[in-house]
């Protein structure tokens, strides 16, 4: 069988190890496994969401309302936009898929940061497009602009705050950059960690309403997998001008978000106290990891997310050695070797989880 030649160059996305695999491989009880690898909410979802799902289980045999009116109106209210500016996705990944397929042809280019979410280049590769990466670990908008002028990409992906590094751009710097970009170039602002970023520093906050009103070529994306604890429900969304969203709907399959996922997301938006409590806990515990790294003389990236990336160039263990050692003990972190970094990424867990992880890091490093 002959497949598309473009597939030869596309890597398979490598997700964090699931708890079930660690249980099978190492014989560890599931309740003793600490998974801090995939930037999930350690507190899970709001109890209000859990109650709503239990009450709506009877709807599982039914197709969802394909207009997704309740969810889109709730998102529109949250972000101060119109429902016609919103599109729902099976995770925000699907919105990136819509973006690439809507404008890319074989031979086109996308522009992204040197270290960033790998699905941008994977979706671009599926369209036969080339990925240009800025030669920088942290977002450097001057380098972005130089590369933009040189390569004329069809899409620019900016992840702020950024996965897997944790850095974030100031809103004013981002807007100044966008003013220099042609309205014919799509810019995707991946804001999956925006709530965490603005909690640590309000200058990092980028509001979807202001963004799309000033820049019709910009798409704002976000997800319910992080702040709302709905990673297993696979739901995200995009916000953009009406013309952009209308084009995406031509690529969308019917019923692309499940009945219960739509309900979970809509209810999650209503429980602000749950979100705020998590944000306070996350920042407090994040600062503990930063203090640990400073005490040990380890380099780390100041994080505006729910994770921290610590470099191990000055440690006695490599990231792979540390990752594998902890894995055998039932502690799952993220090894960033595949990103070309001798570093580990640690999702910020509950205080009791962090106590255990920090104690083990203290002894191993």
């Amino acid at each position: 069988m002959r497949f598309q030649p473009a597939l030869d160059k596309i890597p398979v996305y490598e997700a964090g190890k699931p708890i079930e695999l660690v249980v099978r491989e190492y014989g560890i009880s599931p309740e003793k496994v600490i998974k801090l690898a995939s930037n999930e909410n350690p507190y899970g979802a709001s109890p209000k969401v859990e109650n709503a799902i239990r009450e709506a289980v009877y709807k599982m045999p039914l197709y969802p309302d394909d207009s997704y009116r309740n969810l889109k109106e709730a998102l529109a209210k949250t972000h101060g936009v119109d429902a016609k500016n919103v599109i729902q996705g099976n995770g925000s990944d699907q919105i990136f898929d819509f973006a690439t397929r809507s404008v890319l042809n074989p031979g086109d280019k996308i522009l992204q940061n040197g270290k960033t979410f790998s699905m941008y280049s994977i979706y671009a590769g599926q369209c036969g497009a080339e990925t240009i990466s800025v030669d920088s670990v942290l977002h450097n908008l001057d380098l972005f602009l130089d590369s933009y002028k040189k390569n004329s990409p069809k899409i620019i992906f900016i992840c702020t705050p950024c996965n897997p590094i944790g850095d974030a751009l100031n809103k004013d710097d981002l807007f100044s950059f966008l003013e220099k970009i042609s309205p014919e170039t799509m810019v995707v602002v991946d804001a999956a960690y925006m709530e965490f970023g603005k909690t640590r520093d309000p200058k990092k906050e980028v509001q979807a309403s202001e963004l799309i009103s000033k820049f019709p070529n910009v798409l704002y994306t976000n997800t319910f997998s992080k702040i709302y604890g709905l990673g297993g429900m696979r739901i995200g969304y995009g916000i953009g001008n009406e013309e952009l969203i209308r084009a995406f709907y031509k690529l969308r399959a019917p019923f692309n978000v499940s009945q219960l996922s739509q309900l979970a997301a809509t209810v999650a938006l209503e429980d602000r106290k749950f979100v705020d409590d998590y944000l306070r806990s996350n920042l407090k515990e994040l600062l503990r990891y930063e203090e640990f790294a400073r005490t040990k003389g380890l380099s780390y990236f100041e994080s505006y997310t729910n994770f921290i990336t610590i470099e191990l160039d000055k440690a006695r263990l490599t990231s792979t050695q540390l990752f594998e050692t902890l894995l055998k003990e039932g502690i799952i972190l993220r090894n960033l070797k595949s990103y070309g970094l001798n570093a580990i990424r640690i999702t910020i867990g509950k205080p009791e989880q962090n106590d255990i992880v920090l104690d083990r890091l203290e002894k191993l490093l």
Side-chain angles (χ1 to χ4, degrees), residues 106-220:
D108 287 337
K109 299 174 183 177
I110 70 162
L111 178 62
Q112 64 175 26
N113 197 51
K115 308 297 180 187
T116 197
F117 187 42
S118 59
M119 288 308 299
Y120 310 148
S121 61
I122 289 175
Y123 284 129
Q126 291 172 2
C127 299
E130 178 186 357
T131 296
I132 306 297
S133 297
V134 173
D135 187 18
S136 177
V137 174
L138 302 179
H139 277 73
N140 184 319
L141 293 179
D142 290 334
L143 294 180
F144 260 86
L145 189 59
D146 289 344
S147 187
Y148 166 73
K149 292 176 179 177
K150 178 181 177 181
N151 294 289
S152 301
K154 281 281 191 71
I155 305 178
I156 301 173
F157 283 95
I158 295 179
C159 185
T160 182
C162 180
N163 175 27
I165 301 303
D167 65 308
L169 295 166
N170 285 341
K171 185 201 80 169
D172 291 345
D173 294 335
L174 175 62
F175 278 34
S176 177
F177 169 78
L178 294 174
E179 288 169 357
K180 301 177 179 71
I181 303 303
S182 165
E184 297 302 314
T185 302
M186 183 188 298
V187 181
V188 179
V189 175
D190 180 356
Y193 300 91
M194 187 59 67
E195 290 268 9
F196 302 101
K198 74 175 185 179
T199 298
R200 181 162 190 172
D201 183 352
K203 294 194 297 294
K204 309 297 183 185
E205 181 181 12
V206 178
Q207 295 182 353
S209 56
E210 184 180 10
L211 189 69
I212 69 169
S213 66
K214 290 187 177 220
F215 307 103
N217 58 317
V218 176
L219 172 71
Y220 176 101

Side-chain angles (χ1 to χ4, degrees), residues 21-90:
L21 185 59
V22 175
V23 169
R24 288 198 302 268
E25 288 187 357
Y26 301 107
I28 301 171
S29 300
E31 63 273 12
K32 293 185 177 180
V33 175
I34 298 176
K35 184 188 178 189
L36 300 179
S38 300
N39 307 338
E40 297 150 327
N41 186 331
Y43 295 96
S46 161
K48 293 182 180 180
V49 171
E50 296 176 6
N51 292 335
I53 293 296
R54 278 193 289 269
E55 293 174 3
V57 165
Y58 73 94
K59 293 184 178 181
M60 279 199 293
L62 308 175
Y63 287 115
D65 170 10
D66 196 48
S67 73
Y68 294 96
R69 178 178 175 180
N70 290 341
L71 174 60
K72 290 196 294 184
E73 288 185 349
L75 283 168
K77 180 180 178 181
T78 298
H79 289 282
V81 298
D82 195 283
K84 65 187 178 185
N85 299 120
V86 180
I87 185 168
Q88 72 289 338
N90 191 325

